[in-house]
Amino acid sequence: MTSQQKITDSPIDFAEEIIEDVKNSKEDGVLKCVQCGMCTSTCPAARHSDYNPRDIIERVLDGDETILEDENIWNCFYCYTCHSVCPVGNSVCEVNQILKQFAITNGIGYDKLYEYMGFADSYFTAAIGAIPEIFFEDIDRDVPGWWDFRQNLDEIRSELELDPPLMPSKEVIDEVSKILTITGFKDKIDKIRESQEEEHEECS
């Protein structure tokens, strides 16, 4: 479990961890936040959920590491609207990505990632992205005719005189798989899958 860091401790340490992360491109923008609320007022996730970009930064500046356990951090769309409107050069979107990574490193949020394992498997086995089957039904509901289009894609491409999709060679696939293994990606997705499958077995 994470603990809430108080202002009497060193709350700035948490913010500095985020600033120093490789994903952060806005230098010390986090420390410049004046809580104006521009990010929240333009955020589509805030409009449709309890996600609140301004609250995210406030809790980071307070050193509140319990934010890693807050389910709302998983509602960010990564649209970068907050990134583009912040008057002091902050990017809650990037901060949120870093918070998610911190959470994952601490074994938090595996249930949020499990349904995306199809993406990870595709990168590892084919060196390309592919839509996981778990999303097919939702996509077909939201985009009428999508399933028929997908089923007849080869025929459609032929009618349009398009070449077949380029697929990575075995050499490329082997190289990507090696990189994903060396960098710990494979180990991480294995842990996520194992933890969730064990949890599902316990519930059944």
Side-chain angles (χ1 to χ4, degrees), residues 100-138:
K100 285 183 180 178
Q101 189 57 56
F102 286 177
I104 295 166
T105 300
N106 283 280
I108 302 168
Y110 281 6
D111 59 317
K112 305 294 184 183
L113 300 173
Y114 185 65
E115 62 186 16
Y116 295 96
M117 286 295 97
F119 282 120
D121 292 336
S122 179
Y123 292 134
F124 192 80
T125 61
I128 57 173
I131 302 172
E133 291 184 11
I134 193 172
F135 296 123
F136 285 2
E137 186 176 335
D138 289 339

Side-chain angles (χ1 to χ4, degrees), residues 44-143:
R47 207 170 301 137
H48 299 286
S49 74
D50 291 330
Y51 176 72
N52 187 324
R54 180 172 60 180
D55 181 59
I56 296 287
I57 298 302
E58 181 180 16
R59 291 174 67 181
V60 165
L61 292 174
D62 284 344
D64 183 3
E65 295 185 24
T66 62
I67 194 173
L68 302 182
E69 299 173 2
D70 191 329
E71 293 204 353
N72 283 316
I73 66 173
W74 300 93
N75 290 335
C76 175
F77 297 132
Y78 295 159
C79 67
Y80 281 82
T81 301
C82 58
H83 183 104
S84 64
V85 301
C86 181
V88 295
N90 191 16
S91 177
V92 190
C93 182
E94 289 180 351
V95 170
N96 198 66
Q97 292 177 49
I98 296 165
L99 290 174
K100 285 183 180 178
Q101 189 57 56
F102 286 177
I104 295 166
T105 300
N106 283 280
I108 302 168
Y110 281 6
D111 59 317
K112 305 294 184 183
L113 300 173
Y114 185 65
E115 62 186 16
Y116 295 96
M117 286 295 97
F119 282 120
D121 292 336
S122 179
Y123 292 134
F124 192 80
T125 61
I128 57 173
I131 302 172
E133 291 184 11
I134 193 172
F135 296 123
F136 285 2
E137 186 176 335
D138 289 339
I139 295 172
D140 194 48
R141 181 196 64 225
D142 296 336
V143 185

